[in-house]
Amino acid sequence: MATRESNEQAGGTGRRALLGAAVLGASGSVLALGGTARAADARHGGGRGLKSLPVPTIVGHRGASGYRPEHTLGAYQLALDMGADIVEAGDLVPTRDGHLVCRHEPEIGGTTDVADHPEFAGRRTTKTLDGASVTGWFTEDFTLAELKRLRAVERIPANRPHNTLYDGRWEIPTFEEVLRWQDEQTRRRGKQVWIYPETKHPTYFRGLGLGLEERVAKLLRRHGKDRRNSPVILQSFEPTSIQRLRRLVDNPLVVLLSGANSRPWDFVESGDPRTVADLITPEGLKEIASYAQGIGPTLDLVIPRDAAGRLTEPTTLVRDAHRAGLILHPYTLRNENPFLPADFREGTDPDAYGDVFGAYRTYFATGIDGVFTDNPDTGLLAREDFVND
């Protein structure tokens, strides 16, 4: 998720908070609980669905991507170990032979070792992706068998050099492998594991004859996870993708929202002049609520930043969305200093660990229902601190 994040490429190296042991100690107790029957009930639509999630919910953004290369089973596993309530597994893109795999983008030059494979050198190309020229290697030019020869690497090594220790350890997971992993983890942990996949660039892929929504729906139906209370939330930056999914499955649905002045790419393609600013008006939110259960706004839509990067006053988005009956899961909180609002950083040292707890408390105070985070352990402890204050 969060393809359009404005702070995605912030420079510098972030130190990691050493909170994992504390969280594992806290979360380990749940393993002794019963609940396998309850988990199976939820899987087949008999549970409480979204109402079973704690508030605020902690979503492991592409797994525990502050600690492991994103969208790998290693990152997903660690997110659960750190206490995440939901794992964003994963951003879904297709292969040439129609399989769905988990990558942040279809261009995989930055997230795999494809450049080290001379047999694929000729696949490097330039394409126009949602209006932008992108050069690299693309999943739709590979079969699944070919992609399985690659290994994942850290996408932003300048910010996360520690993660490069795990380069080459994991392959690219398929969405079906994630669904099986979800069942395995639910059985092992005695509690329902949730996932939060996203359809990536659905208009682009539909134009290539690789429609995402039908493939997602087929797999969810195959695994009995296509119902209102199933532990799978589906999300997309393109509202028409969510509307298409609504006709195919009964899962909870979330419309992702980037900068206020941006336009969803399906709007661009169809000539719809509306921007995100139009979608977050009370009227726009009411329309979204007619086909989705929630929104995933960038954090700047909840609390804008000034020119210096400091937080200003909250907008009315949380209040307006709740009045429309929508939940809000904004993105993305990270504990690395370069990614934090300026008022929560520790000086200007890119290696410093800023006041992420202060940032969490500020965002939680707006009444958001959850938050995407690269550091689920920090989020979990901040939530416990906030709700028990």
Side-chain angles (χ1 to χ4, degrees):
M1 92 101 77
T3 306
R4 291 93 168 154
E5 291 171 88
S6 59
N7 60 358
E8 188 68 66
Q9 301 298 335
T13 301
R15 285 201 311 235
R16 305 296 183 270
L18 300 179
L19 300 173
V23 174
L24 287 174
S27 64
S29 61
V30 304
L31 301 181
L33 296 176
T36 302
R38 291 194 303 273
D41 188 46
R43 176 179 180 269
H44 292 288
R48 296 176 57 235
L50 290 174
K51 293 181 180 180
S52 69
L53 294 170
V55 178
T57 297
I58 304 302
V59 183
H61 183 229
R62 308 174 197 159
S65 52
Y67 304 88
R68 300 289 188 272
E70 64 192 27
H71 285 314
T72 60
L73 291 181
Y76 299 158
Q77 181 83 23
L78 186 59
L80 292 179
D81 291 343
M82 288 180 167
D85 304 304
I86 309 177
V87 180
E88 191 197 22
D91 293 337
L92 303 180
V93 293
T95 66
R96 188 173 68 196
D97 48 349
H99 295 276
L100 294 178
V101 296
C102 303
R103 288 290 85 193
H104 172 51
E105 288 288 330
E107 199 292 301
I108 55 173
T111 61
T112 73
D113 62 357
V114 64
D116 297 331
H117 287 255
E119 70 272 27
F120 297 137
R123 306 278 179 94
R124 190 172 188 268
T125 187
T126 299
K127 300 190 179 190
T128 300
L129 184 62
D130 289 5
S133 179
V134 180
T135 299
W137 292 262
F138 296 81
T139 59
E140 67 266 26
D141 296 332
F142 292 77
T143 66
L144 178 59
E146 289 172 331
L147 284 181
K148 284 296 187 179
R149 290 155 60 181
L150 308 180
R151 292 298 179 267
V153 300
E154 172 55 39
R155 184 173 58 86
I156 45 175
N159 292 92
R160 295 167 174 169
H162 176 76
N163 286 9
T164 63
L165 295 173
Y166 301 94
D167 284 357
R169 181 168 298 193
W170 293 288
E171 62 183 29
I172 298 174
T174 68
F175 185 42
E176 185 149 35
E177 288 169 345
V178 165
L179 292 171
R180 292 170 180 152
W181 169 85
Q182 179 187 23
D183 291 341
E184 176 193 359
Q185 293 300 312
T186 294
R187 289 191 295 268
R188 286 182 53 195
R189 295 169 188 271
K191 61 178 292 188
Q192 182 61 62
V193 168
W194 282 69
I195 60 173
Y196 210 138
E198 176 190 346
T199 56
K200 301 291 291 193
H201 306 289
T203 295
Y204 167 79
F205 283 118
R206 185 162 294 278
L208 298 178
L210 292 168
L212 299 178
E213 295 85 1
E214 293 82 2
R215 288 173 167 82
V216 170
K218 181 179 180 180
L219 288 172
L220 290 177
R221 287 194 294 267
R222 180 183 299 169
H223 289 264
K225 299 179 183 182
D226 59 331
R227 295 154 192 172
R228 175 67 56 164
N229 288 333
S230 296
V232 181
I233 305 173
L234 301 173
Q235 57 179 332
S236 181
F237 277 103
E238 297 188 14
T240 56
S241 181
I242 294 300
Q243 292 166 355
R244 191 182 299 272
L245 284 166
R246 181 174 180 265
R247 295 191 291 268
L248 297 170
V249 296
D250 290 328
N251 296 74
L253 304 172
V254 169
V255 175
L256 299 171
L257 301 167
S258 50
N261 295 324
S262 67
R263 291 169 67 197
W265 187 251
D266 53 339
F267 285 15
V268 175
E269 287 285 318
S270 67
D272 189 328
R274 290 178 297 169
T275 66
V276 168
D278 297 308
L279 297 181
I280 61 175
T281 63
E283 295 77 16
L285 293 168
K286 183 178 179 180
E287 179 187 341
I288 290 175
S290 70
Y291 58 86
Q293 285 67 52
I295 58 173
T298 179
L299 286 166
D300 288 346
L301 293 177
V302 177
I303 309 180
R305 303 189 195 192
D306 62 21
R310 295 180 176 273
L311 295 183
T312 59
E313 291 299 311
T315 68
T316 63
L317 179 58
V318 174
R319 181 197 68 192
D320 294 342
H322 284 164
R323 285 179 175 174
L326 295 165
I327 60 171
L328 296 93
H329 292 159
Y331 63 91
T332 306
L333 264 175
R334 299 169 165 95
N335 66 1
E336 294 104 341
N337 202 36
F339 294 126
L340 287 167
D343 30 347
F344 295 101
R345 297 174 194 159
E346 185 178 303
T348 58
D349 184 355
D351 293 330
Y353 170 65
D355 181 15
V356 68
F357 287 100
Y360 269 107
R361 290 175 66 85
T362 302
Y363 286 111
F364 286 167
T366 66
I368 59 176
D369 301 281
V371 68
F372 282 79
T373 178
D374 290 6
N375 318 96
D377 52 355
T378 310
L380 178 64
L381 294 182
R383 180 184 70 193
E384 297 306 313
D385 177 58
F386 179 82
V387 298
N388 293 322
D389 187 29

